[in-house]
Structures are given as C-alpha cells and as structure tokens.
Amino acid sequence: MDIVAIATKLFNSNGMVFSFMLLGIIMYFAYKIGKLTHGRIHGSAIAIFFGLLLAYIGGAMTGGHKGIADVPLFAGMGLVGGAMFRDFAIVSTAFGADLEEIKKIGVRGVLSLFIGEFICLLAGFAVAYPLGYTDPIDLVTIGAGIATFVVGPVTGAALGASSEVIAISIAAGVVKSVLVMVVTPFVAKIFGLDNPQSAMAFGGIMGTTSGTAAGMAAVDPKLVPYAAMTATFYTGLGCLLFPSVFYFLTQMIFG
C-alpha cells in the first residue's frame, strides 16, 4: 500500500479531523490574500468564497446536494459546516460583548431588527415580482431568503413553497451575506461604524451574522461581538415574522 492510499484511508477514517486541517489551510491562505487588500476585504470573506467554490466543485463532481461533503474524502465537512458548529460559533461571539454597552442601544436595537426584516421583505418583492413570482408564498419566501439563508428555507417549508423557490431564497441569502462582508469596510466611515451602539444597529438592520461579523472584523475586531449580537436575534425574529405577519400582509396586497 503506497503512501497516498494510506493517507486517503486515514483521512476517510478521521473525516472531522481532516476537515479541521483543511479549514485551517483555507483560512491561512484566505487571510494571506486578505492582507494584500490592506484590510478592505477580510480574510473570512475570502474563505467563504473558497468554501462556495469548493461546494460548487463537489456538487458538479458528484451531482449531490451537500457540496464538497458528497465527496467521501471530504465527508467530515458536512459535520464541521453543520448546524451544531454554526450555532456554537454564533453563541461564542456573544461572550466578547459588554453587557453595559448592550443596554445602551435600548429600543433602537429592537427597532433596527424590525426595520431590517421589513426592508428584506420589500427587497424580496422587488426581486421576485419582475421575475414572474407573483404568488404570496413565493414572494415571502424569497424575501425571507434575503433576510438570511436560514430564514428562507424555514419560511418556505412552513408555507409550502416549491423547492425551486426555496433554492432561490438560499441563493439570495448567500449573495447578501457575501455582499455585506465585502461592502462593510468601504461604508463603515460613512455610517459611523466605530462604536458598539452603531455596530449593534448595523447588525440588526443587515441581519446576516456571518456577513456582519466578517465585515466588522475588517473595520474593528472589537466591534464584532456587538454586530453579531443583534444579527443573531435577526434570524429567530425572521423565522417568526415571515411565515406569519409578513405572509398575511403580503396576501392582503398580492392575494
């Protein structure tokens, strides 16, 4: 048995360990590339781009539905990139926040969440209606996807949307997340994103935890927990609003 076969067998038997090693390599090169942009594009945004590229390659190679995880050698990526580690990462960011700073945002933080959700609903109308999606279920599901790529499928499943529409909602959420990552450093000075309160309001309006966290990391790493704090609530609020209040509102308008 040659060394390649031994290594392949070892990695297949220890999928999660191999996945962490692979992620470490991706992050290393992503942050190296990020430094070349002088901090304008954060390394985590580049790493997510690499992840999307690998997912596409894996899906194209296997015709599967789990991206690179459908390749047996990279099966551990399905666990590392699953809900458990995602939620752990989101919750862990909250431990870097100062409770006193969170209290200062008050009603403004709550309002930013509702304003952000409503803007996503309107954006869903603007995107979906010209493309011929006029059914209230389709409109709300795509709007929910713009909120986050988690709220989209949750809303679609609750309302009985087609798999095509749910896929569009997920794609919309991913595009939004990447855009927030890339654009945030360029608009931070314009919008005054230099303190915990503005970071929390920004996280509440933008909503995407991964997008705001990566974007704020390029602006000031100390502000990441505050942006992620309100953005974390955004997903839960969206899962409540879109299949209920926003759906009935849309039905009244387009039904």
Side-chain angles (χ1 to χ4, degrees):
M1 186 178 293
D2 59 22
I3 190 169
V4 175
I6 294 173
T8 301
K9 183 178 180 181
L10 180 64
F11 291 150
N12 279 333
S13 303
N14 300 276
M16 191 172 75
V17 176
F18 176 60
S19 295
F20 275 116
M21 184 182 76
L22 182 62
L23 287 174
I25 294 171
I26 292 172
M27 293 298 292
Y28 174 80
F29 284 106
Y31 275 78
K32 286 292 184 183
I33 296 171
K35 286 182 179 179
L36 298 177
T37 67
H38 302 288
R40 288 295 184 180
I41 301 178
H42 196 257
S44 56
I46 298 171
I48 288 179
F49 172 77
F50 286 157
L52 294 172
L53 184 62
L54 285 174
Y56 173 79
I57 293 172
M61 287 173 57
T62 65
H65 304 285
K66 298 180 181 177
I68 197 67
D70 282 316
V71 179
L73 182 61
F74 303 105
M77 296 292 278
L79 177 61
V80 174
M84 180 178 68
F85 279 101
R86 179 202 65 203
D87 293 342
F88 173 77
I90 290 172
V91 172
S92 66
T93 60
F95 285 91
D98 184 347
L99 185 60
E100 292 304 315
E101 294 291 348
I102 294 173
K103 289 179 181 178
K104 291 178 183 178
I105 190 71
V107 176
R108 289 170 295 173
V110 177
L111 286 176
S112 70
L113 289 170
F114 283 93
I115 292 171
E117 302 281 7
F118 187 69
I119 289 173
C120 288
L121 178 66
L122 296 180
F125 294 167
V127 171
Y129 200 85
L131 294 177
Y133 293 97
T134 57
D135 186 88
I137 292 176
D138 296 342
L139 292 169
V140 174
T141 300
I142 293 173
I146 293 175
T148 78
F149 51 75
V150 175
V151 178
V154 169
T155 301
L159 298 178
S162 66
S163 57
E164 174 192 338
V165 172
I166 292 176
I168 292 173
S169 75
I170 296 172
V174 171
V175 170
K176 173 191 171 182
S177 182
V178 173
L179 281 176
V180 172
M181 291 177 201
V182 175
V183 173
T184 298
F186 294 97
V187 301
K189 190 174 182 180
I190 298 172
F191 292 109
L193 299 179
D194 55 4
N195 61 80
Q197 288 74 45
S198 62
M200 282 187 280
F202 180 74
I205 292 175
M206 292 295 102
T208 165
T209 306
S210 55
T212 52
M216 291 307 298
V219 177
D220 185 350
K222 293 180 181 178
L223 298 179
V224 171
Y226 301 101
M229 175 68 69
T230 44
T232 300
F233 288 108
Y234 191 94
T235 297
L237 182 63
C239 289
L240 291 174
L241 287 177
F242 278 93
S244 56
V245 176
F246 285 171
Y247 171 67
F248 292 124
L249 179 63
T250 305
Q251 183 115 31
M252 290 171 59
I253 299 172
F254 295 96

